[in-house]
mmCIF file of all heavy atoms in Angstrom:
data_model
loop_
_atom_site.group_PDB
_atom_site.id
_atom_site.type_symbol
_atom_site.label_atom_id
_atom_site.label_comp_id
_atom_site.label_asym_id
_atom_site.label_seq_id
_atom_site.Cartn_x
_atom_site.Cartn_y
_atom_site.Cartn_z
ATOM 1 N N ILE Q 110 90.391 124.707 107.444
ATOM 2 C CA ILE Q 110 91.774 124.886 107.700
ATOM 3 C C ILE Q 110 92.384 125.787 106.655
ATOM 4 O O ILE Q 110 93.152 126.718 106.973
ATOM 5 C CB ILE Q 110 92.524 123.514 107.750
ATOM 6 C CG1 ILE Q 110 92.123 122.788 108.993
ATOM 7 C CG2 ILE Q 110 94.021 123.733 107.657
ATOM 8 C CD1 ILE Q 110 92.690 121.386 109.119
ATOM 9 N N ILE Q 111 92.047 125.595 105.383
ATOM 10 C CA ILE Q 111 92.591 126.410 104.357
ATOM 11 C C ILE Q 111 92.107 127.884 104.524
ATOM 12 O O ILE Q 111 92.935 128.845 104.450
ATOM 13 C CB ILE Q 111 92.172 125.925 102.922
ATOM 14 C CG1 ILE Q 111 92.801 124.558 102.669
ATOM 15 C CG2 ILE Q 111 92.597 126.936 101.826
ATOM 16 C CD1 ILE Q 111 92.313 123.864 101.383
ATOM 17 N N ASP Q 112 90.818 128.067 104.748
ATOM 18 C CA ASP Q 112 90.261 129.419 104.925
ATOM 19 C C ASP Q 112 90.912 130.085 106.099
ATOM 20 O O ASP Q 112 91.261 131.287 106.084
ATOM 21 C CB ASP Q 112 88.755 129.351 105.086
ATOM 22 C CG ASP Q 112 88.085 128.874 103.829
ATOM 23 O OD1 ASP Q 112 88.742 128.774 102.769
ATOM 24 O OD2 ASP Q 112 86.833 128.658 103.853
ATOM 25 N N TYR Q 113 91.086 129.349 107.215
ATOM 26 C CA TYR Q 113 91.696 129.931 108.438
ATOM 27 C C TYR Q 113 93.168 130.301 108.156
ATOM 28 O O TYR Q 113 93.610 131.404 108.512
ATOM 29 C CB TYR Q 113 91.616 128.954 109.554
ATOM 30 C CG TYR Q 113 92.357 129.436 110.801
ATOM 31 C CD1 TYR Q 113 91.787 130.353 111.667
ATOM 32 C CD2 TYR Q 113 93.602 128.940 111.132
ATOM 33 C CE1 TYR Q 113 92.446 130.821 112.802
ATOM 34 C CE2 TYR Q 113 94.297 129.382 112.264
ATOM 35 C CZ TYR Q 113 93.709 130.313 113.082
ATOM 36 O OH TYR Q 113 94.375 130.754 114.197
ATOM 37 N N SER Q 114 93.894 129.455 107.478
ATOM 38 C CA SER Q 114 95.289 129.694 107.188
ATOM 39 C C SER Q 114 95.414 130.918 106.242
ATOM 40 O O SER Q 114 96.292 131.790 106.474
ATOM 41 C CB SER Q 114 95.928 128.491 106.510
ATOM 42 O OG SER Q 114 95.855 127.392 107.336
ATOM 43 N N LEU Q 115 94.584 131.045 105.255
ATOM 44 C CA LEU Q 115 94.651 132.188 104.326
ATOM 45 C C LEU Q 115 94.296 133.488 105.054
ATOM 46 O O LEU Q 115 94.930 134.510 104.798
ATOM 47 C CB LEU Q 115 93.709 131.961 103.118
ATOM 48 C CG LEU Q 115 94.109 130.800 102.168
ATOM 49 C CD1 LEU Q 115 93.043 130.644 101.089
ATOM 50 C CD2 LEU Q 115 95.435 131.115 101.572
ATOM 51 N N TRP Q 116 93.283 133.411 105.927
ATOM 52 C CA TRP Q 116 92.998 134.638 106.721
ATOM 53 C C TRP Q 116 94.136 135.035 107.691
ATOM 54 O O TRP Q 116 94.503 136.173 107.746
ATOM 55 C CB TRP Q 116 91.710 134.412 107.528
ATOM 56 C CG TRP Q 116 91.520 135.454 108.581
ATOM 57 C CD1 TRP Q 116 91.030 136.726 108.372
ATOM 58 C CD2 TRP Q 116 91.758 135.376 109.976
ATOM 59 N NE1 TRP Q 116 90.990 137.469 109.517
ATOM 60 C CE2 TRP Q 116 91.454 136.628 110.543
ATOM 61 C CE3 TRP Q 116 92.272 134.396 110.842
ATOM 62 C CZ2 TRP Q 116 91.617 136.923 111.885
ATOM 63 C CZ3 TRP Q 116 92.409 134.661 112.158
ATOM 64 C CH2 TRP Q 116 92.087 135.907 112.681
ATOM 65 N N LYS Q 117 94.739 134.066 108.284
ATOM 66 C CA LYS Q 117 95.775 134.301 109.219
ATOM 67 C C LYS Q 117 97.077 134.802 108.516
ATOM 68 O O LYS Q 117 97.731 135.736 109.019
ATOM 69 C CB LYS Q 117 96.139 132.990 109.964
ATOM 70 C CG LYS Q 117 96.931 133.201 111.252
ATOM 71 C CD LYS Q 117 96.051 133.742 112.325
ATOM 72 C CE LYS Q 117 96.800 133.797 113.679
ATOM 73 N NZ LYS Q 117 96.010 134.447 114.751
ATOM 74 N N LEU Q 118 97.373 134.239 107.393
ATOM 75 C CA LEU Q 118 98.597 134.584 106.668
ATOM 76 C C LEU Q 118 98.423 135.759 105.701
ATOM 77 O O LEU Q 118 99.405 136.286 105.163
ATOM 78 C CB LEU Q 118 99.143 133.366 105.908
ATOM 79 C CG LEU Q 118 99.534 132.153 106.797
ATOM 80 C CD1 LEU Q 118 99.778 130.925 105.930
ATOM 81 C CD2 LEU Q 118 100.739 132.480 107.620
ATOM 82 N N LYS Q 119 97.132 136.123 105.442
ATOM 83 C CA LYS Q 119 96.847 137.220 104.499
ATOM 84 C C LYS Q 119 97.447 136.962 103.162
ATOM 85 O O LYS Q 119 97.303 135.846 102.611
ATOM 86 C CB LYS Q 119 97.266 138.532 105.148
ATOM 87 C CG LYS Q 119 96.592 138.875 106.465
ATOM 88 C CD LYS Q 119 95.123 139.050 106.297
ATOM 89 C CE LYS Q 119 94.419 139.574 107.531
ATOM 90 N NZ LYS Q 119 94.361 138.565 108.634
ATOM 91 N N GLU Q 120 98.132 137.945 102.592
ATOM 92 C CA GLU Q 120 98.636 137.812 101.247
ATOM 93 C C GLU Q 120 99.788 136.805 101.103
ATOM 94 O O GLU Q 120 100.188 136.393 100.006
ATOM 95 C CB GLU Q 120 99.100 139.204 100.674
ATOM 96 C CG GLU Q 120 100.365 139.762 101.391
ATOM 97 C CD GLU Q 120 99.970 140.531 102.682
ATOM 98 O OE1 GLU Q 120 98.785 140.531 103.007
ATOM 99 O OE2 GLU Q 120 100.912 141.061 103.327
ATOM 100 N N LYS Q 121 100.350 136.351 102.234
ATOM 101 C CA LYS Q 121 101.469 135.409 102.222
ATOM 102 C C LYS Q 121 100.981 133.996 102.261
ATOM 103 O O LYS Q 121 101.764 133.065 102.384
ATOM 104 C CB LYS Q 121 102.418 135.681 103.378
ATOM 105 C CG LYS Q 121 103.138 137.002 103.299
ATOM 106 C CD LYS Q 121 104.116 137.182 104.480
ATOM 107 C CE LYS Q 121 104.838 138.524 104.394
ATOM 108 N NZ LYS Q 121 105.777 138.703 105.521
ATOM 109 N N GLY Q 122 99.639 133.805 102.200
ATOM 110 C CA GLY Q 122 99.087 132.488 102.439
ATOM 111 C C GLY Q 122 99.626 131.401 101.485
ATOM 112 O O GLY Q 122 100.172 130.384 101.927
ATOM 113 N N ALA Q 123 99.577 131.647 100.167
ATOM 114 C CA ALA Q 123 100.040 130.642 99.254
ATOM 115 C C ALA Q 123 101.566 130.491 99.349
ATOM 116 O O ALA Q 123 102.079 129.363 99.230
ATOM 117 C CB ALA Q 123 99.665 131.053 97.831
ATOM 118 N N THR Q 124 102.273 131.551 99.596
ATOM 119 C CA THR Q 124 103.753 131.487 99.670
ATOM 120 C C THR Q 124 104.236 130.598 100.815
ATOM 121 O O THR Q 124 105.248 129.979 100.671
ATOM 122 C CB THR Q 124 104.317 132.920 99.853
ATOM 123 O OG1 THR Q 124 103.805 133.785 98.850
ATOM 124 C CG2 THR Q 124 105.833 132.908 99.808
ATOM 125 N N ILE Q 125 103.458 130.517 101.837
ATOM 126 C CA ILE Q 125 103.843 129.708 102.979
ATOM 127 C C ILE Q 125 103.158 128.273 102.909
ATOM 128 O O ILE Q 125 103.832 127.268 103.121
ATOM 129 C CB ILE Q 125 103.455 130.359 104.316
ATOM 130 C CG1 ILE Q 125 104.279 131.658 104.495
ATOM 131 C CG2 ILE Q 125 103.682 129.437 105.537
ATOM 132 C CD1 ILE Q 125 103.909 132.486 105.694
ATOM 133 N N LEU Q 126 101.865 128.237 102.597
ATOM 134 C CA LEU Q 126 101.172 126.978 102.642
ATOM 135 C C LEU Q 126 101.700 125.972 101.626
ATOM 136 O O LEU Q 126 101.880 124.808 101.932
ATOM 137 C CB LEU Q 126 99.669 127.234 102.368
ATOM 138 C CG LEU Q 126 98.812 127.728 103.498
ATOM 139 C CD1 LEU Q 126 97.386 127.921 103.084
ATOM 140 C CD2 LEU Q 126 98.861 126.727 104.665
ATOM 141 N N ILE Q 127 101.936 126.442 100.401
ATOM 142 C CA ILE Q 127 102.371 125.493 99.340
ATOM 143 C C ILE Q 127 103.666 124.818 99.686
ATOM 144 O O ILE Q 127 103.772 123.555 99.620
ATOM 145 C CB ILE Q 127 102.402 126.207 97.980
ATOM 146 C CG1 ILE Q 127 101.004 126.612 97.552
ATOM 147 C CG2 ILE Q 127 103.047 125.306 96.927
ATOM 148 C CD1 ILE Q 127 100.941 127.385 96.251
ATOM 149 N N PRO Q 128 104.737 125.547 100.057
ATOM 150 C CA PRO Q 128 105.986 124.841 100.445
ATOM 151 C C PRO Q 128 105.818 123.909 101.632
ATOM 152 O O PRO Q 128 106.409 122.837 101.615
ATOM 153 C CB PRO Q 128 106.945 126.026 100.776
ATOM 154 C CG PRO Q 128 106.428 127.172 100.002
ATOM 155 C CD PRO Q 128 104.975 127.043 100.027
ATOM 156 N N VAL Q 129 105.033 124.298 102.616
ATOM 157 C CA VAL Q 129 104.856 123.427 103.809
ATOM 158 C C VAL Q 129 104.197 122.115 103.370
ATOM 159 O O VAL Q 129 104.605 121.038 103.773
ATOM 160 C CB VAL Q 129 104.026 124.159 104.843
ATOM 161 C CG1 VAL Q 129 103.599 123.164 105.945
ATOM 162 C CG2 VAL Q 129 104.825 125.260 105.512
ATOM 163 N N ILE Q 130 103.148 122.241 102.537
ATOM 164 C CA ILE Q 130 102.477 120.998 102.083
ATOM 165 C C ILE Q 130 103.384 120.091 101.264
ATOM 166 O O ILE Q 130 103.483 118.895 101.423
ATOM 167 C CB ILE Q 130 101.183 121.388 101.205
ATOM 168 C CG1 ILE Q 130 100.135 122.005 102.149
ATOM 169 C CG2 ILE Q 130 100.674 120.183 100.493
ATOM 170 C CD1 ILE Q 130 98.994 122.620 101.421
ATOM 171 N N MET Q 131 104.181 120.751 100.381
ATOM 172 C CA MET Q 131 105.112 119.990 99.518
ATOM 173 C C MET Q 131 106.188 119.260 100.313
ATOM 174 O O MET Q 131 106.556 118.115 99.946
ATOM 175 C CB MET Q 131 105.702 120.873 98.428
ATOM 176 C CG MET Q 131 104.599 121.395 97.449
ATOM 177 S SD MET Q 131 105.303 122.483 96.151
ATOM 178 C CE MET Q 131 106.207 121.253 95.181
ATOM 179 N N ILE Q 132 106.735 119.966 101.313
ATOM 180 C CA ILE Q 132 107.755 119.299 102.125
ATOM 181 C C ILE Q 132 107.135 118.124 102.860
ATOM 182 O O ILE Q 132 107.782 117.023 102.946
ATOM 183 C CB ILE Q 132 108.327 120.337 103.156
ATOM 184 C CG1 ILE Q 132 109.197 121.377 102.421
ATOM 185 C CG2 ILE Q 132 109.197 119.605 104.197
ATOM 186 C CD1 ILE Q 132 109.604 122.514 103.309
ATOM 187 N N LEU Q 133 105.918 118.260 103.386
ATOM 188 C CA LEU Q 133 105.273 117.146 104.070
ATOM 189 C C LEU Q 133 105.046 115.969 103.162
ATOM 190 O O LEU Q 133 105.314 114.825 103.510
ATOM 191 C CB LEU Q 133 103.967 117.657 104.677
ATOM 192 C CG LEU Q 133 103.087 116.604 105.390
ATOM 193 C CD1 LEU Q 133 103.845 116.045 106.583
ATOM 194 C CD2 LEU Q 133 101.759 117.188 105.871
ATOM 195 N N ILE Q 134 104.560 116.235 101.938
ATOM 196 C CA ILE Q 134 104.280 115.157 100.992
ATOM 197 C C ILE Q 134 105.566 114.511 100.510
ATOM 198 O O ILE Q 134 105.636 113.258 100.336
ATOM 199 C CB ILE Q 134 103.445 115.685 99.817
ATOM 200 C CG1 ILE Q 134 102.052 116.018 100.278
ATOM 201 C CG2 ILE Q 134 103.446 114.698 98.647
ATOM 202 C CD1 ILE Q 134 101.148 116.596 99.225
ATOM 203 N N SER Q 135 106.634 115.289 100.298
ATOM 204 C CA SER Q 135 107.926 114.713 99.952
ATOM 205 C C SER Q 135 108.438 113.832 101.065
ATOM 206 O O SER Q 135 108.976 112.748 100.777
ATOM 207 C CB SER Q 135 108.930 115.836 99.654
ATOM 208 O OG SER Q 135 110.171 115.295 99.228
ATOM 209 N N LEU Q 136 108.272 114.253 102.290
ATOM 210 C CA LEU Q 136 108.664 113.380 103.459
ATOM 211 C C LEU Q 136 107.872 112.073 103.474
ATOM 212 O O LEU Q 136 108.400 110.980 103.691
ATOM 213 C CB LEU Q 136 108.485 114.138 104.736
ATOM 214 C CG LEU Q 136 109.589 115.150 105.132
ATOM 215 C CD1 LEU Q 136 109.164 115.943 106.370
ATOM 216 C CD2 LEU Q 136 110.887 114.377 105.479
ATOM 217 N N LEU Q 137 106.617 112.180 103.231
ATOM 218 C CA LEU Q 137 105.741 110.994 103.237
ATOM 219 C C LEU Q 137 106.149 110.078 102.085
ATOM 220 O O LEU Q 137 106.198 108.851 102.238
ATOM 221 C CB LEU Q 137 104.253 111.367 103.083
ATOM 222 C CG LEU Q 137 103.598 111.958 104.314
ATOM 223 C CD1 LEU Q 137 102.170 112.411 103.973
ATOM 224 C CD2 LEU Q 137 103.555 110.928 105.426
ATOM 225 N N GLY Q 138 106.497 110.648 100.941
ATOM 226 C CA GLY Q 138 106.924 109.843 99.783
ATOM 227 C C GLY Q 138 108.248 109.144 100.088
ATOM 228 O O GLY Q 138 108.460 108.000 99.651
ATOM 229 N N THR Q 139 109.103 109.784 100.898
ATOM 230 C CA THR Q 139 110.352 109.191 101.245
ATOM 231 C C THR Q 139 110.180 108.078 102.351
ATOM 232 O O THR Q 139 110.774 107.014 102.266
ATOM 233 C CB THR Q 139 111.327 110.221 101.817
ATOM 234 O OG1 THR Q 139 111.578 111.132 100.743
ATOM 235 C CG2 THR Q 139 112.638 109.637 102.309
ATOM 236 N N LEU Q 140 109.349 108.366 103.348
ATOM 237 C CA LEU Q 140 109.270 107.491 104.513
ATOM 238 C C LEU Q 140 108.202 106.402 104.363
ATOM 239 O O LEU Q 140 108.393 105.311 104.820
ATOM 240 C CB LEU Q 140 109.008 108.347 105.757
ATOM 241 C CG LEU Q 140 110.006 109.409 106.109
ATOM 242 C CD1 LEU Q 140 109.551 110.236 107.291
ATOM 243 C CD2 LEU Q 140 111.362 108.765 106.436
ATOM 244 N N ALA Q 141 107.066 106.795 103.804
ATOM 245 C CA ALA Q 141 105.946 105.811 103.764
ATOM 246 C C ALA Q 141 105.201 105.841 102.453
ATOM 247 O O ALA Q 141 104.049 105.487 102.365
ATOM 248 C CB ALA Q 141 104.967 106.148 104.920
ATOM 249 N N GLY Q 142 105.882 106.272 101.409
ATOM 250 C CA GLY Q 142 105.222 106.498 100.135
ATOM 251 C C GLY Q 142 104.771 105.178 99.518
ATOM 252 O O GLY Q 142 105.467 104.235 99.447
ATOM 253 N N ASN Q 143 103.555 105.215 98.968
ATOM 254 C CA ASN Q 143 103.054 104.123 98.090
ATOM 255 C C ASN Q 143 102.068 104.763 97.169
ATOM 256 O O ASN Q 143 101.676 105.877 97.322
ATOM 257 C CB ASN Q 143 102.500 102.968 98.924
ATOM 258 C CG ASN Q 143 101.312 103.364 99.781
ATOM 259 O OD1 ASN Q 143 100.252 103.763 99.256
ATOM 260 N ND2 ASN Q 143 101.470 103.360 101.057
ATOM 261 N N ASP Q 144 101.636 103.961 96.175
ATOM 262 C CA ASP Q 144 100.866 104.487 95.083
ATOM 263 C C ASP Q 144 99.517 105.061 95.518
ATOM 264 O O ASP Q 144 98.927 105.894 94.838
ATOM 265 C CB ASP Q 144 100.650 103.388 94.030
ATOM 266 C CG ASP Q 144 101.958 103.009 93.366
ATOM 267 O OD1 ASP Q 144 102.988 103.698 93.553
ATOM 268 O OD2 ASP Q 144 101.948 101.975 92.659
ATOM 269 N N SER Q 145 99.049 104.653 96.667
ATOM 270 C CA SER Q 145 97.764 105.178 97.139
ATOM 271 C C SER Q 145 97.769 106.647 97.465
ATOM 272 O O SER Q 145 96.732 107.298 97.572
ATOM 273 C CB SER Q 145 97.292 104.413 98.366
ATOM 274 O OG SER Q 145 98.200 104.568 99.429
ATOM 275 N N MET Q 146 98.964 107.227 97.607
ATOM 276 C CA MET Q 146 99.077 108.635 97.952
ATOM 277 C C MET Q 146 98.527 109.500 96.772
ATOM 278 O O MET Q 146 98.288 110.715 96.986
ATOM 279 C CB MET Q 146 100.525 109.018 98.238
ATOM 280 C CG MET Q 146 100.973 108.616 99.655
ATOM 281 S SD MET Q 146 102.628 109.160 100.024
ATOM 282 C CE MET Q 146 102.421 110.954 99.995
ATOM 283 N N ILE Q 147 98.298 108.927 95.634
ATOM 284 C CA ILE Q 147 97.785 109.673 94.497
ATOM 285 C C ILE Q 147 96.379 110.209 94.810
ATOM 286 O O ILE Q 147 95.925 111.221 94.301
ATOM 287 C CB ILE Q 147 97.798 108.808 93.197
ATOM 288 C CG1 ILE Q 147 97.674 109.690 91.966
ATOM 289 C CG2 ILE Q 147 96.641 107.810 93.240
ATOM 290 C CD1 ILE Q 147 98.884 110.560 91.755
ATOM 291 N N THR Q 148 95.698 109.554 95.773
ATOM 292 C CA THR Q 148 94.334 110.023 96.154
ATOM 293 C C THR Q 148 94.391 111.351 96.852
ATOM 294 O O THR Q 148 93.399 112.031 96.968
ATOM 295 C CB THR Q 148 93.687 108.989 97.084
ATOM 296 O OG1 THR Q 148 94.544 108.663 98.161
ATOM 297 C CG2 THR Q 148 93.398 107.703 96.339
ATOM 298 N N PHE Q 149 95.612 111.834 97.279
ATOM 299 C CA PHE Q 149 95.695 113.144 97.874
ATOM 300 C C PHE Q 149 95.332 114.240 96.866
ATOM 301 O O PHE Q 149 95.105 115.397 97.272
ATOM 302 C CB PHE Q 149 97.157 113.389 98.369
ATOM 303 C CG PHE Q 149 97.388 112.894 99.729
ATOM 304 C CD1 PHE Q 149 96.865 111.709 100.171
ATOM 305 C CD2 PHE Q 149 98.220 113.592 100.603
ATOM 306 C CE1 PHE Q 149 97.084 111.225 101.459
ATOM 307 C CE2 PHE Q 149 98.471 113.120 101.905
ATOM 308 C CZ PHE Q 149 97.914 111.932 102.305
ATOM 309 N N LEU Q 150 95.273 113.893 95.602
ATOM 310 C CA LEU Q 150 94.956 114.890 94.590
ATOM 311 C C LEU Q 150 93.518 115.435 94.735
ATOM 312 O O LEU Q 150 93.206 116.539 94.327
ATOM 313 C CB LEU Q 150 95.088 114.314 93.188
ATOM 314 C CG LEU Q 150 96.493 114.391 92.590
ATOM 315 C CD1 LEU Q 150 96.631 113.567 91.337
ATOM 316 C CD2 LEU Q 150 96.867 115.885 92.321
ATOM 317 N N PHE Q 151 92.631 114.633 95.389
ATOM 318 C CA PHE Q 151 91.296 115.163 95.730
ATOM 319 C C PHE Q 151 91.434 116.382 96.642
ATOM 320 O O PHE Q 151 90.659 117.354 96.487
ATOM 321 C CB PHE Q 151 90.462 114.053 96.348
ATOM 322 C CG PHE Q 151 90.002 112.988 95.399
ATOM 323 C CD1 PHE Q 151 90.439 111.691 95.561
ATOM 324 C CD2 PHE Q 151 89.139 113.326 94.393
ATOM 325 C CE1 PHE Q 151 90.041 110.705 94.637
ATOM 326 C CE2 PHE Q 151 88.679 112.350 93.475
ATOM 327 C CZ PHE Q 151 89.138 111.041 93.613
ATOM 328 N N VAL Q 152 92.309 116.294 97.581
ATOM 329 C CA VAL Q 152 92.608 117.454 98.472
ATOM 330 C C VAL Q 152 93.225 118.598 97.637
ATOM 331 O O VAL Q 152 92.881 119.775 97.797
ATOM 332 C CB VAL Q 152 93.543 117.056 99.603
ATOM 333 C CG1 VAL Q 152 93.826 118.301 100.485
ATOM 334 C CG2 VAL Q 152 92.959 115.945 100.401
#
Side-chain angles (χ1 to χ4, degrees):
I110 289 176
I111 294 173
D112 292 353
Y113 175 78
S114 300
L115 292 176
W116 168 75
K117 197 75 175 175
L118 297 170
K119 299 297 188 290
E120 68 275 1
K121 295 181 180 179
T124 306
I125 295 175
L126 280 179
I127 292 175
V129 168
I130 290 170
M131 294 181 69
I132 290 171
L133 178 60
I134 290 178
S135 182
L136 278 171
L137 285 175
T139 296
L140 300 174
N143 61 65
D144 295 348
S145 63
M146 282 184 64
I147 199 66
T148 53
F149 274 38
L150 274 170
F151 287 113
V152 180

